[in-house]
Every structure is written in C-alpha cells, then in structure tokens.
Amino acid sequence: MIAPKIPSNESARLAAVYEYKLIDTLPESDFDNITSIIAAIFNIPISLITLLDVDRNFLKSHYGFPFNEAPRDLSFCGHAIMCEDDIFIIEDSRKDERFHDNPIVKEHNAIFYAGVSLINPDGLPLGTLCVFDTKPRKLTALQKQVLIAMAKQVVNLFELRKRNIQLRETKEELHIQNENLKNFAGHVSHDMKMPLANMIVTTDILRKKYNTVLDAKGIEYLDYLKQSSFTLSDYISGLLNHYESDKLDNVRESFDLHLLLEEIVDLLNINIDCEINFPEINEELYCNRAALEQIFLNLIGNSLKYNDKEKVIIDIACKKRKSQLEFKISDNGIGIPKDKQKEIFNLFSTVGNLDRNGNKGHGIGLSTVQKLINNLGGKIKLESELGKGTTFYFTIAI
C-alpha cells in the first residue's frame, strides 16, 4: 500500500475546507440526495461525498457505507485530489500497488473506485464525489460526464452554504451593532433631556428677573434660546420614541376605537380651527393599543402641523377585515412632493417644508410610524398632492 501524498498547498487547502464548516456535521438531505441519485444511475453500491481533513477523510454523505470517516492514509480520495485529470479511476484495486493490500480493499471489498475532486473557486481540492464497487468495472463516457457535473453541483451547494453562513453572521453582527447604537442613542437622549429642561426654565427665570433691564434684542435672544431648546427637546423625544418603539410589547387588548381617538385628540391639545372626523362605524378593536396610539399621535399630529389652511380637516376611516385592520387618514394640508414620497419613511428624511409654526421637521416621526406598523405585521403607503393634502393608508394584522 502507498499512502497518498500531501499537496504542496495543504495549509491553504485545509483553510478552504474549514471555511464551509462542514466537518463533523450531521447528514443533510441536499447531499444525501446526490449520492443516492449517483448510486442509482451507476447501479453501484457505494457513493460518497468526502472532505479531506488533516488526518482523516470525513464523509459528509455516505450512501451504502456504514461509517462517516476513515483514516486519510488509507483513503482513495487522498490520491484522487492529487490527480490532474478530471476523474481518478481505479478499475481493479487488487492489481494496483497503491491499494492491493489496503484494509479498505481487504475488509470492505473496495475493488472499483472513481472519484472527481471537489474544486473550490480558488482551485483548491476540498475532497471528492466518488463511487465504489465490489467488482471490477469501467465507466461509460456518459457516466464520467455525470460524475464530473454532479461534483460541480456539490461545490455549488458548498458555496451556497458558505454564503448563507456569512449572511447569518453578518446579520447577527448588524443586530449587535444596531442594539449598541440604540442603547447609545437612548442613553445620550435621556442624559440630554435634563440639561435642556434646565435651559428652558433658566430662560424663563432670566426673562422674569431681568425683564426691565434687558432691551428688546435681549428679550428676543432669550425667546430664541428657549425656542431652540424646545426644538432640540422635541428632536430628542422623537429619537427616544423611535428607538424605544421596539420595546412596545405586542400585548393585545380589546378597546373602543372612538374612545382611543378622543383620548389622542385630548393629548394633542389642539388650539386651532380643526375638524376631525372619526370612522362612521365605531369598531371594537383587539390589537396592540399602545402601538396604535403612537401611530395615530404621529400621523394626526403631522396633519395638524403641516397644514396651511384656515380650517384643518382630518378624516379617519377604519375597515375590519378577516386578518387585518385597514386605516385611512386624510387631511387638507400642504402635501408632499412626488420626489419625496418614496423616502419620507426613512429615518431623518424630511420634505423640507416648514410646519404651521415655521419649524422644520426632524424626519423621525414617520420612520417610527413605519417601524411600529411593520412590527404589527402591516404596511403603510401614502398618496399626496401639493396644496391639496395627504392620505396615509396602513394596515395591521389581527
């Protein structure tokens, strides 16, 4: 018996084998299907998919063979990966000095062998797709073509597996980074709330105490400082709502839609001429009340802020389907330009319009709304025409 030689690029070859994370894994139907098909087509008792480790031949799929590994020194596959031909064939191992006294030949009657190297995209041999028979035989040209083609398909499966592993690892890494970012944003936002509140209170104290000393310009500066503090406070509150929206437990409860909307209108403390029309049918809903409240607060709040009409009109509709709730919120506001409608739900994306009080939006509210709706198994879209108003359509699963 002659043991197989070790390739000159063995370190790189082994590194390539380990990239696929297949060594010592359990059988998988994708690979077992290939070996069983090969065995049937060739009418042969043994078909294997192998990977050559440091000192063993690991059998990822072993049709007709009771073991999942064998010593590399005894392996036919160790010789096959050194072969420069497309296919390595031993028609009768008993007549070949490399194998005639090999225990695999003597104990398992491995007389015939044909193997095709599994070559990765970098040209490194990982193992083989091979067949054994207990008697001498020859392969037809068609059988050789089939074995070579199926070996390429095995490598394609290896590559697909590797890409899936990389995607899972990337997804997990992004998840960790996103959690770290959310925690950072949460801590920073919370830490900034108190100093901002102090700034707002301090400007009121300064104005009251030094009102007779400050000239008109000084009073204007204090007003500007206070307004800027409020703007930054709203921005931070929006960030907190966005990053904490995932923490809203998906606890479902029964509640009255009209009552929810009435509570939201009270919370908004509307001080302009406004008509809000509730759905004609007062539905009894069963869903995540806290999340739906947050959605309505943002959408109705936007309809109030981004409106240049003397009288604001907001129409709300709701339809209960078998598996979802469908909502519609329309207003007669300033509208959203066509070229901004696709990106309006992106975090920090703004239309550029000033609100009713001359302030610019932060691009956080609608991103939070979409996030909440997606978490509730729904979708949101909009229709808008400049100068005439905007309609949001969204669904949530029930």
Side-chain angles (χ1 to χ4, degrees):
M1 187 192 87
I2 300 175
K5 293 180 180 179
I6 301 298
S8 59
N9 58 354
E10 179 67 357
S11 295
R13 191 197 69 79
L14 284 172
V17 169
Y18 299 148
E19 281 183 354
Y20 296 97
K21 298 185 178 180
L22 283 162
I23 297 292
D24 291 326
T25 56
L26 294 172
E28 297 177 45
S29 60
D30 285 344
F31 301 110
D32 289 344
N33 288 340
I34 289 176
T35 53
S36 62
I37 289 170
I38 290 292
I41 292 174
F42 284 46
N43 190 26
I44 206 162
I46 297 174
S47 177
L48 310 173
I49 293 173
T50 76
L51 290 161
L52 283 161
D53 201 353
V54 177
D55 56 3
R56 59 177 172 153
N57 193 23
F58 174 70
L59 314 182
K60 176 56 186 172
S61 180
H62 46 98
Y63 180 90
F65 194 72
F67 309 109
N68 68 350
E69 65 176 56
R72 181 171 174 174
D73 287 346
L74 304 180
S75 71
F76 284 61
C77 299
H79 291 275
I81 68 165
M82 299 297 295
C83 178
E84 294 183 359
D85 297 331
D86 291 337
I87 186 167
F88 179 73
I89 298 176
I90 304 297
E91 294 180 354
D92 190 339
S93 60
R94 297 168 300 183
K95 299 177 181 179
D96 192 306
E97 64 175 345
R98 292 169 294 182
F99 305 106
H100 69 93
D101 56 349
N102 189 312
I104 296 176
V105 176
K106 288 184 173 183
E107 297 172 15
H108 298 282
N109 204 26
I111 307 300
F112 171 82
Y113 173 86
V116 177
S117 290
L118 303 174
I119 307 295
N120 81 344
D122 295 323
L124 296 168
L126 310 169
T128 67
L129 172 63
C130 62
V131 292
F132 282 96
D133 203 345
T134 56
K135 59 188 178 186
R137 65 181 294 172
K138 295 180 182 291
L139 293 184
T140 66
L142 179 60
Q143 287 174 324
K144 292 177 183 178
Q145 290 176 9
V146 168
L147 199 62
I148 292 169
M150 292 302 281
K152 292 178 181 178
Q153 184 59 30
V154 171
V155 175
N156 288 340
L157 288 174
F158 284 0
E159 285 293 306
L160 181 61
R161 177 192 178 89
K162 185 168 75 172
R163 284 195 291 270
N164 286 339
I165 290 171
Q166 290 170 342
L167 285 172
R168 285 197 298 269
E169 290 175 346
T170 302
K171 183 179 178 181
E172 180 61 26
E173 184 179 342
L174 288 173
H175 175 72
I176 292 171
Q177 291 178 357
N178 189 45
E179 287 300 312
N180 290 338
L181 179 61
K182 285 163 61 175
N183 291 333
F184 173 76
H187 285 305
V188 171
S189 299
H190 277 295
D191 291 345
M192 290 178 68
K193 291 287 281 184
M194 185 56 70
L196 278 172
N198 290 337
M199 287 174 63
I200 293 169
V201 171
T202 301
T203 55
D204 285 339
I205 293 172
L206 288 171
R207 178 167 185 161
K208 185 175 181 181
K209 188 171 183 178
Y210 299 103
N211 187 47
T212 56
V213 178
L214 292 170
D215 59 12
K217 203 66 177 176
I219 297 296
E220 183 182 337
Y221 287 148
L222 282 179
D223 289 341
Y224 179 75
L225 179 62
K226 183 177 180 179
Q227 183 57 47
S228 296
S229 299
F230 272 123
T231 300
L232 186 55
S233 181
D234 289 342
Y235 181 77
I236 291 169
S237 296
L239 272 179
L240 283 172
N241 288 335
H242 180 81
Y243 285 114
E244 291 179 353
S245 61
D246 285 338
K247 297 179 182 178
L248 284 176
D249 295 329
N250 194 14
V251 177
R252 299 187 177 199
E253 57 183 297
S254 295
F255 58 93
D256 182 287
L257 177 58
H258 279 194
L259 181 59
L260 172 68
L261 293 173
E262 287 169 3
E263 291 176 0
I264 289 170
V265 171
D266 289 339
L267 282 171
L268 289 169
N269 193 25
I270 301 169
N271 57 5
I272 57 175
D273 189 5
C274 178
E275 176 185 319
I276 300 180
N277 300 308
F278 291 178
E280 292 183 7
I281 300 175
N282 184 18
E283 298 281 5
E284 182 72 19
L285 305 184
Y286 181 72
C287 62
N288 188 328
R289 190 183 193 280
L292 188 60
E293 179 181 25
Q294 191 69 41
I295 292 166
F296 274 123
L297 273 170
N298 273 284
L299 294 180
I300 296 174
N302 279 352
S303 292
L304 292 168
K305 286 194 296 182
Y306 297 100
N307 199 304
D308 55 355
K309 309 299 188 298
E310 288 187 13
K311 182 175 183 177
V312 175
I313 299 175
I314 302 171
D315 296 316
I316 303 171
C318 173
K319 289 183 180 179
K320 187 184 286 187
R321 304 296 187 187
K322 186 175 182 180
S323 60
Q324 65 181 17
L325 293 169
E326 297 178 356
F327 294 97
K328 174 182 170 183
I329 300 180
S330 302
D331 64 49
N332 63 337
I334 58 180
I336 301 170
K338 278 279 186 185
D339 61 340
K340 296 288 186 179
Q341 290 178 15
K342 287 186 178 179
E343 61 186 60
I344 196 67
F345 295 106
N346 296 337
L347 185 60
F348 304 126
S349 175
T350 62
V351 173
N353 294 331
L354 300 179
D355 67 17
R356 198 175 188 89
N357 299 314
N359 299 315
K360 187 179 179 181
H362 305 301
I364 300 174
L366 287 180
S367 173
T368 303
V369 165
Q370 184 182 56
K371 193 175 178 185
L372 286 166
I373 290 171
N374 289 343
N375 289 344
L376 294 175
K379 294 181 179 180
I380 184 169
K381 63 179 182 178
L382 68 90
E383 293 177 356
S384 187
E385 188 175 345
L386 284 177
K388 293 188 176 181
T390 301
T391 299
F392 286 95
Y393 303 87
F394 71 92
T395 61
I396 61 174
I398 57 174

